[in-house]
């Protein structure tokens, strides 16, 4: 562990848990190159395996109930000025953020991109339902962009680095499952035991070729079916966006409401296409649940289940889309397709998200204000959306070119643009 006391003008970054894989390690190296002191707290063998600088590594071996006091001691001992974390709702991060804010410490939150797949989200107030975007209206964004001449790049239709994402998830859980003897007090933030998490990740990785064939067949049937259809965008039931920013405990609760609403509201010749999340590992038997619910409502011949895959081909001809609060809703709005959501989301603005009842929405959905959405999207691209990705080597290189400069700025990325300063994230045309 590095010794305490840094120079007064030298920032001290303390990293907590990050995305699976080497991104946080690479980010820490670049911050050191910029002159900052960098430390990392690790909570399990997976955290330790992906952090190469051993002198700066601080293992937390205590009980979860003692984390707040231990974190406070680390802040004081090392003179920490900034903390860096991935996602803000897991308990160790939520406790850390509350303590850091009472001490005037800057919080850097990374999350999956609000404009996926080729962007990552960087914020300082929190992410998703805790984002500053929740309190900004479109008029404020339009005013801030009034002098901007930046052009919005087209949305990529590629997911990006899904295979690497699944691989690093499986590898991380392998370390936690087989090498975690030192961290006996570690408790994962998700309800499943680590052994089952590992098996699910490994199974998903092994079955990718089969799943690819299944979704091609299901997508082809929908596209060649000749019927009007509405799209349901599923999420991971255990994801923080669902657990912390909606009233649902799992996807089956959401599906029950959607299927009942479709049965009661949609024209009799319309169909419902339910698209599984690309990382779905089937903790719940969703396909079987959909089949049962459809049978109960006598619409089994109008329900289609697509196991993951890319969204663009299904969106092209969809009449509407529903989701809890998936970031995929942004792709829906970009195309001007009516959208109804059922959770708290950064894009839940009255100009472009329907407020209709679910039955009325399926009967005659209201279209979004595309002009308002384009202003919103441009605001995101000039503030919190950073080109690149966490998992592939190419994505990390692209992300690191901008992330460190954003972290070293004195202003929050949103405030920088609201105050009329230069864009927080320089625009560029992505190479695909």
């Amino acid at each position: 562990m590095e010794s305490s006391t840094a120079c007064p003008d030298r920032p001290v970054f303390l990293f907590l848990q990050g995305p699976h894989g080497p991104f946080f390690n690479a980010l820490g190296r670049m911050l050191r190159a910029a002159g900052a002191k960098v430390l990392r707290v690790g909570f399990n063998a997976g955290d330790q395996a992906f952090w190469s600088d051993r002198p700066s590594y601080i293992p937390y071996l205590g009980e979860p109930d003692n984390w707040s006091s231990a974190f406070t001691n680390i802040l004081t001992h090392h003179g920490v000025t900034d903390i860096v974390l991935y996602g803000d709702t897991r308990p160790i991060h939520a406790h850390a953020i509350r303590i850091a804010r009472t001490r005037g410490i800057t919080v850097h939150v990374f999350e999956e991109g609000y404009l996926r797949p080729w962007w990552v989200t960087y914020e300082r107030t929190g992410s998703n339902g805790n984002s500053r975007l929740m309190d900004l209206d479109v008029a404020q964004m339009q005013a801030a962009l009034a002098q901007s001449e930046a052009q919005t790049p087209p949305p990529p239709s590629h997911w990006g680095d899904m295979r690497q994402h699944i691989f690093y998830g499986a590898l991380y859980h392998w370390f936690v499952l087989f090498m975690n003897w030192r961290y006996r007090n570690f408790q994962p933030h998700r309800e499943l035991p680590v052994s089952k998490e590992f098996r699910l990740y490994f199974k998903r990785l092994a079955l990718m070729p089969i799943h690819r064939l299944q979704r091609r067949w299901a997508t082809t049937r929908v596209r060649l079916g000749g019927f009007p259809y509405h799209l349901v965008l599923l999420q991971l039931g255990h994801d923080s966006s669902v657990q912390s920013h909606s009233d649902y405990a799992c996807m089956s609760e959401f599906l029950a409401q959607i299927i009942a609403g479709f049965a009661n509201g949609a024209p009799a010749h319309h169909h419902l296409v339910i698209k599984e999340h690309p990382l779905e590992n089937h903790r719940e038997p969703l396909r079987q649940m959909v089949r049962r619910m459809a049978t109960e409502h006598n619409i089994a011949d109008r329900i289609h289940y697509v196991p993951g895959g890319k969204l663009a081909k299904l969106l092209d001809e969809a009449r509407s889309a529903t989701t809890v609060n998936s970031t995929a809703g942004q792709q829906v709005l970009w195309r001007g397709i009516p959208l109804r959501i059922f959770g708290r989301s950064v894009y839940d603005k009255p100009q472009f998200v329907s407020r209709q009842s679910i039955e009325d929405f399926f009967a005659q959905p209201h279209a979004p204000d595309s002009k308002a959405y384009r202003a919103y999207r441009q605001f995101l691209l000039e503030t919190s959306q950073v080109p690149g990705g966490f998992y592939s080597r190419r994505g990390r290189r692209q992300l690191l070119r901008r992330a460190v400069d954003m972290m070293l700025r004195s202003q929050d990325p949103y405030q920088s643009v609201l105050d009329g300063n230069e864009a927080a994230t320089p625009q560029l045309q992505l190479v695909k």
Side-chain angles (χ1 to χ4, degrees):
M1 185 190 308
E2 290 186 358
S3 59
S4 61
T5 322
C7 299
D9 295 328
R10 185 188 183 195
V12 180
F13 288 85
L14 179 67
F15 283 61
L16 301 183
Q17 288 195 298
H20 299 150
F23 171 67
F24 261 22
N25 189 56
L27 182 62
R29 284 200 307 268
M30 192 164 288
L31 281 167
R32 287 193 198 93
K37 179 180 177 181
V38 177
L39 304 165
R40 170 73 188 269
V41 178
F43 300 86
N44 58 52
D47 293 340
Q48 182 173 332
F50 287 110
W51 190 260
S52 62
D53 186 65
R54 291 293 172 256
S56 65
Y57 182 77
I58 305 171
Y60 180 69
L61 307 177
E63 298 280 352
D65 290 345
N66 297 329
W67 162 239
S68 293
S69 60
F71 177 69
T72 301
N73 291 336
I74 292 171
L75 296 181
T76 301
H77 181 70
H78 293 281
V80 172
T81 62
D82 302 71
I83 64 171
V84 188
L85 44 87
Y86 171 71
D88 62 346
T89 59
R90 63 184 71 180
I92 57 175
H93 288 172
H95 290 311
I97 290 171
R98 284 194 292 270
I99 295 169
R101 285 178 177 157
T102 65
R103 299 168 68 106
I105 291 171
T106 302
V107 179
H108 305 268
V109 182
F110 284 90
E111 185 55 277
E112 304 293 342
Y114 295 147
L115 301 177
R116 297 185 192 179
W118 282 95
W119 287 274
V120 159
T121 298
Y122 166 74
E123 297 177 284
R124 296 190 186 177
T125 56
S127 62
N128 295 310
N130 296 324
S131 169
R132 189 177 177 186
L133 289 169
M134 301 295 293
D135 299 319
L136 290 175
D137 59 45
V138 176
Q140 289 174 287
M141 300 177 190
Q142 289 172 323
L145 294 171
Q147 304 303 316
S148 174
E149 297 181 0
Q151 297 296 312
T152 303
S157 60
H158 297 73
W159 178 261
D161 45 14
M162 183 59 62
R163 286 189 298 273
Q164 294 92 329
H165 191 162
I166 295 172
F167 169 76
Y168 282 124
L171 183 59
Y172 180 90
H173 286 93
W174 183 91
F175 279 110
V176 177
L177 182 61
F178 296 108
M179 305 292 287
N180 219 45
W181 56 269
R182 188 184 183 191
Y183 301 87
R184 293 184 176 87
N185 294 316
F186 170 67
Q187 291 184 6
H189 63 284
R190 291 173 178 164
E191 60 185 24
L192 286 185
V194 174
S195 57
K196 190 167 184 179
E197 285 268 13
F198 170 72
R199 288 197 298 271
L200 290 171
Y201 266 106
F202 185 80
K203 181 179 179 181
R204 183 69 179 175
L205 190 63
L207 294 179
M208 283 185 76
I210 296 175
H211 291 159
R212 187 179 300 114
L213 292 175
Q214 289 175 335
R215 65 175 168 262
R216 283 179 180 173
W217 170 242
T219 301
T220 299
R221 288 183 62 195
V222 171
R223 296 183 71 193
L224 298 181
F227 42 75
Y229 64 85
H230 304 262
L231 195 58
V232 182
L233 307 176
L234 296 184
Q235 296 165 245
L236 300 177
H238 61 270
D239 190 85
S240 63
S241 293
V242 176
Q243 295 296 316
S244 300
H245 304 302
S246 83
D247 297 326
Y248 300 108
C250 55
M251 279 294 99
S252 56
E253 294 178 2
F254 170 63
L255 281 168
Q257 183 177 357
I258 293 298
I259 291 174
F262 177 80
N264 294 326
H269 63 292
H270 285 205
H271 288 226
L272 190 68
V273 177
I274 299 171
K275 182 186 175 298
E276 186 179 88
H277 189 277
L279 288 172
E280 178 58 55
N281 52 24
H282 304 116
R283 299 174 183 216
E284 293 184 276
L286 294 177
R287 187 193 293 268
Q288 294 90 325
M289 290 178 175
V290 166
R291 188 180 300 119
R292 175 179 56 77
M293 294 175 192
T295 300
E296 289 173 356
H297 289 281
N298 297 314
I299 54 172
D301 59 335
R302 297 164 58 199
I303 301 288
H304 309 265
Y305 191 90
V306 179
K310 297 176 182 177
L311 179 58
K313 292 180 179 179
L314 289 171
L315 268 181
D316 287 343
E317 298 185 73
R319 297 291 301 273
S320 76
T322 55
T323 186
V324 177
N325 52 16
S326 171
T327 56
Q330 303 262 13
Q331 295 187 48
V332 178
L333 294 171
W334 172 259
R335 288 166 169 79
I337 298 171
L339 177 66
R340 179 72 164 84
I341 69 171
F342 293 82
R344 295 171 289 283
S345 171
V346 295
Y347 57 78
D348 185 12
K349 308 296 181 185
Q351 292 91 337
F352 36 84
V353 174
S354 172
R355 299 291 194 262
Q356 296 168 272
S357 71
I358 186 60
E359 292 81 7
D360 289 345
F361 180 79
F362 280 125
Q364 191 170 359
H366 293 167
D369 180 340
S370 293
K371 183 178 180 180
Y373 176 70
R374 288 172 188 273
Y376 169 86
R377 188 176 186 277
Q378 181 70 28
F379 184 79
L380 263 61
L381 286 169
E382 294 195 22
T383 53
S384 61
Q385 300 308 287
V386 192
F390 295 126
Y391 305 104
S392 70
R393 186 177 291 108
R394 178 186 178 190
R396 290 194 300 274
R397 285 199 303 264
Q398 192 174 35
L399 176 55
L400 287 166
R401 289 188 181 106
R402 288 166 176 77
V404 172
D405 287 345
M406 294 178 70
M407 295 172 72
L408 294 173
R409 288 176 68 102
S410 60
Q411 280 190 311
D412 160 271
Y414 298 123
Q415 196 61 46
S416 179
V417 172
L418 290 169
D419 287 348
N421 297 332
E422 63 185 63
T425 56
Q427 296 295 305
L428 77 165
Q429 184 69 40
L430 297 177
V431 179
K432 294 182 279 183

